[in-house]
Amino acid sequence: MSELAVRARKLDGADELAALRDRFVLDEAVYLDGNSLGALPGHVPDRVADVIRRQWGELRIRSWEESGWWTAPERIGDRIAPLVGAAPGQIVVGDSTSVNVFKALVAAVRMADGDRDEILVDATTFPTDGYIAESAARLTGRTLRPVTPAEVPDALGGRTAAVLLNHVDYRTGRLHDLPALTAAIHASGALAVWDLCHSAGALEVGLDEHGVDLAVGCTYKYLNGGPGSPAYLYVREDLQPRFDSPLPGWNSHAEPFGMRPSYAPAPGALRGRVGTPDILSMLALEAALDVWQDVSMSAVRAKSLALTDFFLECVERYVPAGRVECLTPARHQERGSQIALRCDDAGKVMRRLIERGVIGDFRHPDVLRFGFTPLYVTFTDVERAGRVLGETVGG
């Protein structure tokens, strides 16, 4: 057994989150793709079976009241809130991340001063955010300007209405400075909209602490809500009376069953709702969130950094020099919970890794991505992944 393998066992023995692994359905593979789809919490299938067989099959329409279906979007939002540093009453769950980005960005522009005619968007963003931002700009009659997060402070000005940024870069795993960038955006008089898809559930966010205006995120990555589980929308409490959703629906009406011909928004975060909630996936998410009970986000972040540090050490030890290049920043302040490695034949390498039981993913044209979910990834997993990667690229 190598020195790194021995150390991995010692680290696992001292891991305060180690017991959480038993809450998930895992096999013998090393699963380092939780930044795309989180693992299944073991109790979720029975909970979903109850939703289908009893709540839907027996209670049927009564479940909107008796099973709490109607209040699920805000109830589940309140469960996500502490994981992103938000007080209750500011998050509503529903729709996809893309739809919520659209709602948040258009609403932010509508809340900005009328003479502000420019939207800034992260030039390195996940493509959909860029597409949505372009559409939002056309819809609101604003100009869209793509800039990198590092360029945002200098790009801000009296014309800036809103800024859409990613907390963690989906390709490289770079963590952007949410507190400093939010402060700079506010100093310019604009509103900040943050995409938390690659940070929520992996590190501390601090939405309330840092005065973020609006934020969105998915729930199927580090929050383990299941494939296509509904996203969420955060609207800071003091902005909620001014939040003018571009997608008003009967579910966000002040009198949803009044069937009024004119729209009157519900109070608070409820006005972020649109149509009928997707109950099956929403209640699967609610069940999945049980694994977070009594889990400290500071402990999650500490383990995330320890796992990624150890993986980089394993890569340095096991992978032949010059075979891969790390794209993820070394500084903890700039690192999310994934490691991205540039490799000339990355697609072929990832296929071989998967065949050998190390599950990561490939991003065109040459990036190997490895996501580290602190709730279930062990240091032994990390050592094995580094060793198999070395054997794969060196063979």
Side-chain angles (χ1 to χ4, degrees):
M1 183 179 295
S2 71
E3 176 269 329
L4 287 175
V6 171
R7 186 143 61 86
R9 288 192 175 187
K10 290 181 179 179
L11 290 168
D12 284 334
D15 177 16
E16 63 179 288
L17 301 180
L20 298 176
R21 182 178 172 87
D22 294 336
R23 300 182 185 180
F24 293 87
V25 176
L26 298 164
D27 53 24
E28 296 302 313
V30 175
Y31 190 64
L32 301 182
D33 209 6
N35 54 324
S36 286
L37 177 64
L40 170 67
H43 68 285
V44 169
D46 287 343
R47 291 278 291 278
V48 171
D50 176 73
V51 173
I52 293 173
R53 292 175 181 148
R54 183 181 64 85
Q55 297 180 29
W56 179 16
E58 297 175 16
L59 297 177
R60 294 181 289 276
I61 197 70
R62 293 160 51 194
S63 276
W64 285 105
E65 293 289 341
E66 296 180 28
S67 301
W69 288 1
W70 184 257
T71 58
E74 60 267 29
R75 182 179 70 244
I76 301 171
D78 283 348
R79 296 192 63 183
I80 292 173
L83 304 180
V84 293
Q90 299 177 101
I91 293 179
V92 64
V93 172
D95 305 311
S96 67
T97 304
S98 300
V99 172
N100 283 320
V101 168
F102 180 75
K103 286 188 269 185
L105 189 55
V106 172
V109 172
R110 287 176 173 178
M111 285 188 276
D113 293 339
D115 57 351
R116 292 177 175 267
D117 62 357
E118 185 174 74
I119 299 171
L120 301 184
V121 65
D122 183 348
T124 63
T125 190
F126 188 77
T128 292
D129 283 16
Y131 306 155
I132 295 293
E134 184 177 357
S135 177
R138 291 198 308 272
L139 181 70
T140 60
R142 266 61 175 187
T143 300
L144 183 68
R145 181 152 59 116
V147 294
T148 67
E151 294 170 335
V152 165
D154 290 335
L156 292 164
R159 295 181 54 198
T160 311
V163 183
L164 173 61
L165 294 169
N166 285 264
H167 197 192
V168 173
D169 187 289
Y170 80 100
R171 284 176 299 252
T172 67
R174 176 180 289 276
L175 172 65
H176 298 301
D177 193 341
L178 181 148
L181 287 169
T182 300
I185 292 166
H186 287 168
S188 77
L191 283 84
V193 181
W194 285 92
D195 183 329
L196 309 178
C197 285
H198 287 269
S199 58
L203 53 90
E204 296 160 300
V205 178
L207 292 179
D208 286 354
E209 177 186 357
H210 303 302
V212 168
D213 301 302
L214 302 107
V216 302
C218 66
T219 60
Y220 47 79
K221 301 182 191 295
Y222 295 109
L223 295 181
N224 311 297
S229 56
Y232 57 90
L233 168 68
Y234 164 90
V235 183
R236 200 177 70 224
E237 184 174 16
D238 63 301
L239 293 179
Q240 290 172 5
R242 299 169 53 206
F243 179 80
D244 182 9
S245 174
L247 295 173
W250 78 282
N251 249 249
S252 63
H253 197 286
E255 296 181 74
F257 293 97
M259 303 303 164
R260 309 292 185 191
S262 59
Y263 180 73
L270 291 180
R271 61 181 61 190
R273 295 172 62 154
V274 183
T276 304
D278 42 355
I279 291 299
L280 296 183
S281 58
M282 189 168 290
L283 296 188
L285 165 63
E286 183 174 35
L289 291 171
D290 287 350
V291 301
W292 291 95
Q293 185 174 354
D294 301 323
V295 175
S296 160
M297 285 309 302
S298 61
V300 169
R301 176 58 170 164
K303 183 177 178 183
S304 166
L305 291 172
L307 288 169
T308 50
D309 278 343
F310 188 57
F311 182 69
L312 289 173
E313 185 177 350
C314 291
V315 169
E316 183 177 4
R317 185 78 61 89
Y318 291 135
V319 176
R323 192 64 176 84
V324 299
E325 174 192 359
C326 185
L327 302 179
T328 307
R331 297 179 69 236
H332 286 180
Q333 301 94 315
E334 299 176 353
R335 186 193 307 168
S337 200
Q338 74 178 54
I339 296 295
L341 303 175
R342 176 172 287 143
C343 180
D344 289 340
D345 48 352
K348 183 186 300 183
V349 168
M350 185 53 68
R351 287 193 295 272
R352 290 175 178 170
L353 287 174
I354 292 172
E355 289 170 359
R356 297 192 59 183
V358 175
I359 315 298
D361 68 18
F362 160 68
R363 284 293 177 267
H364 184 80
D366 57 1
V367 176
L368 302 169
R369 290 197 321 171
F370 301 95
F372 297 83
T373 305
L375 300 189
Y376 53 77
V377 173
T378 68
F379 291 92
T380 298
D381 289 336
V382 170
E383 188 276 334
R384 177 181 163 193
R387 177 165 38 84
V388 172
L389 174 61
E391 293 168 357
T392 300
V393 300

